[in-house]
Amino acid sequence: MKIGILISERGSNMTAIIEAVQKGQVPNSEVAVVISDKAGAEGLQKAKERNIETLVVARKRRTREEHDAEIVAELKKRNVELVCLAGYMRLLSRDFVRAFPDRILNIHPSLLPAFKGLDAQQQAIEYGVKFSGCTVHFVDEDLDHGAIVAQKMVEVRDDDTPETLAARILKHEHSLYVEAIAKILEGKIKIVGRRVVSVTN
Ligand code: GRF
């Protein structure tokens, strides 16, 4: 199964996925390409160092649809079957989502459906929740909305800043994302309506 990863910035989740695949922790898989919409994304260098093909598909002055069509074409050209968003800072168009039905994943640094969108860790602190965490979910046409594959809860401490909470959540993001991908590729889960449930034989 060929995996394509989309990033915009740092790429620590991307690195975790690449390393897990290269160590054989995600069976029968290969990261075929890392695509960034930003030429300066730190993650591009990290992917190159790990011998993964990288590509910049800049937004330029194009519509979301035009930009997405180019990314979809690059993914399809490489026979990518699973798309992992890893800090990709742009909503996907309807056509992108439809090009990979139930085959696009995202990771978000909160326990969805709480705190969608940007600065989720800051939102959690400001709201005053005692626990937050991270969520791996399928991507649909709405922001941070698709069916939830896996979640991990993390404590919010009294002295947390958005940065300290983000760092505590991030450690769990890496393992949660890799485990979710492995489960999907091993056929261990199925989607029933909005619910992602274990396949029992
Ligand atoms: C992570 O916190 C992820 O949950 C969110 O964006 C951040 C990306 O970090 N979607 P990185 O680029 O994977 O280091």
Side-chain angles (χ1 to χ4, degrees):
M1 173 84 84
K2 296 205 171 169
I3 300 173
I5 306 177
L6 266 56
I7 63 167
S8 294
E9 287 163 8
R10 182 177 53 188
S12 72
N13 279 287
M14 172 211 77
T15 302
I17 297 167
I18 291 172
E19 290 184 347
V21 167
Q22 290 181 339
K23 283 185 201 148
Q25 289 164 358
V26 182
N28 306 319
S29 60
E30 177 197 335
V31 178
V33 66
V34 167
I35 300 179
S36 172
D37 60 334
K38 297 200 184 131
E42 263 178 77
L44 289 170
Q45 188 55 31
K46 297 179 190 165
K48 281 182 200 150
E49 285 163 9
R50 288 164 179 79
N51 300 315
I52 303 294
E53 184 193 359
T54 60
L55 212 60
V56 175
V57 180
R59 298 178 188 186
K60 299 180 198 149
R61 270 183 230 105
R62 297 182 288 179
T63 63
R64 186 188 310 279
E65 284 69 25
E66 289 163 349
H67 182 230
D68 279 6
E70 185 180 345
I71 296 175
V72 168
E74 296 293 351
L75 292 168
K76 294 278 182 190
K77 220 189 273 177
R78 292 165 181 79
N79 299 316
V80 165
E81 287 176 90
L82 181 71
V83 181
C84 296
L85 308 186
Y88 182 66
M89 302 303 285
R90 198 168 208 205
L91 254 184
L92 301 190
S93 61
R94 191 186 61 181
D95 287 350
F96 194 145
V97 173
R98 290 187 181 176
F100 294 94
D102 298 335
R103 278 286 176 263
I104 308 175
L105 289 172
N106 182 41
I107 184 146
H108 182 74
S110 75
L111 294 176
L112 290 173
F115 313 128
K116 295 178 178 178
L118 290 176
D119 302 323
Q121 303 92 338
Q122 187 175 344
Q123 291 185 54
I125 290 173
E126 284 173 2
Y127 196 91
V129 291
K130 301 299 183 193
F131 293 93
S132 189
C134 45
T135 303
V136 176
H137 64 94
F138 285 106
V139 172
D140 64 12
E141 291 158 37
D142 298 317
L143 177 69
D144 299 329
H145 175 267
I148 291 172
V149 182
Q151 292 188 301
K152 178 80 188 181
M153 192 170 77
V154 170
E155 185 190 4
V156 181
R157 298 185 186 150
D158 291 350
D159 60 354
D160 263 333
T161 62
E163 291 73 29
T164 59
L165 179 58
R168 191 173 318 115
I169 293 174
L170 190 67
K171 283 190 203 151
H172 295 284
E173 290 187 29
H174 298 160
S175 48
L176 193 75
Y177 212 170
V178 167
E179 284 162 22
I181 293 168
K183 272 190 193 166
I184 291 166
L185 296 192
E186 288 164 358
K188 289 188 174 161
I189 56 165
K190 61 179 177 183
I191 307 177
V192 183
R194 262 206 65 85
R195 303 185 69 208
V196 176
V197 296
S198 299
V199 172
T200 46
N201 294 312

